[in-house]
Amino acid sequence: MINIQVTDADGVKKEITTTPGSQLMNSIRDAGMVEGTCGGMASCGTCHVYIDEDWNARTGERTEDEGYMLESLEELVEIKPTSRLCCQIILSEEHNGLSLTVGPQI
Ligand code: FES
């Protein structure tokens, strides 16, 4: 099991315990902190998060579809270099302690 630190848009922090090999979005959605409307297909943008700077390099590169989706959100919310769609991140043991903040509602 691994632990993830998630801060919501109001600044409330929650620690979520989850399993390596799972999609990050599922754990955060199950905790009621993102909607994940498209079920993880990188096509809704409701799972947008800001990965903490210290962790950003360890979550890999954005996928192509993710990049397009984030571009399309730019008119609605702030997109930062650390912005990710958490449905595109598959967790591994090395993500234990991962810290992120949920993006603004769209
Ligand atoms: S769940 Fe829809 S983009 Fe991630």
Side-chain angles (χ1 to χ4, degrees):
M1 301 300 275
I2 59 174
N3 293 318
I4 299 164
Q5 316 296 322
V6 182
T7 303
D8 72 14
D10 296 325
V12 177
K13 293 179 190 287
K14 195 181 266 191
E15 183 169 276
I16 297 171
T17 301
T18 186
T19 51
S22 63
Q23 203 177 46
L24 175 57
M25 184 275 290
N26 289 334
S27 302
I28 301 175
R29 182 191 57 198
D30 291 350
M33 300 178 84
V34 297
E35 290 183 24
T37 307
C38 73
M41 303 301 289
S43 60
C44 71
T46 62
C47 70
H48 172 219
V49 299
Y50 302 116
I51 305 290
D52 282 14
E53 297 273 351
D54 292 349
W55 281 95
N56 197 36
R58 286 181 270 177
T59 57
E61 298 289 320
R62 293 175 182 165
T63 65
E64 188 174 357
D65 287 345
E66 180 182 9
Y68 290 135
M69 189 68 229
L70 288 170
E71 269 181 39
S72 75
L73 294 178
E74 275 180 328
E75 291 180 14
L76 304 173
V77 296
E78 182 182 11
I79 301 298
K80 302 178 182 178
T82 59
S83 287
R84 294 295 309 269
L85 298 178
C86 61
C87 66
Q88 300 300 296
I89 299 173
I90 304 299
L91 294 168
S92 67
E93 294 281 357
E94 68 185 30
H95 292 122
N96 189 34
L98 174 67
S99 183
L100 59 89
T101 300
V102 173
Q105 293 264 319
I106 55 169

